[in-house]
Amino acid sequence: MSMLKSAPVPYFTVDRNFKILNRSKLAMTTFASVDNFLDVVDTFSKEKAKKYLRTEYIVKDDWVKKLCDC
């Protein structure tokens, strides 16, 4: 996890309810301290973020396969 903490971009790890489980140092300094990822997403992008983040993927042999389009 230490590599994620020092990622050069803001990085969040969230659960299925968008609760923030972990974040990079840059995410801590760039965004307000919130518990839910959707609180840092602008109002007009919340539905898009929910749809994108609820879509599950698997990676196998350098190919990405979409499991569901929720």
Side-chain angles (χ1 to χ4, degrees):
M1 186 58 74
S2 64
M3 287 179 54
L4 297 178
K5 283 283 189 192
S6 59
V9 295
Y11 182 92
F12 295 92
T13 304
V14 299
D15 67 11
R16 291 187 177 269
N17 296 313
F18 311 107
K19 179 182 176 195
I20 297 174
L21 304 174
N22 209 336
R23 62 188 95 206
S24 67
K25 289 179 185 177
L26 188 54
M28 285 186 247
T29 60
T30 305
F31 297 99
S33 180
V34 295
D35 293 326
N36 191 291
F37 177 74
L38 295 177
D39 292 336
V40 298
V41 176
D42 70 270
T43 303
F44 302 106
S45 300
K46 286 185 190 292
E47 289 305 314
K48 187 188 299 185
K50 286 180 189 179
K51 181 178 179 182
Y52 179 78
L53 293 172
R54 283 187 176 143
T55 302
E56 297 180 22
Y57 296 88
I58 58 170
V59 178
K60 185 175 180 180
D61 301 327
D62 295 329
W63 290 90
V64 177
K65 180 180 179 185
K66 187 185 259 191
L67 294 178
C68 72
D69 190 10
C70 309

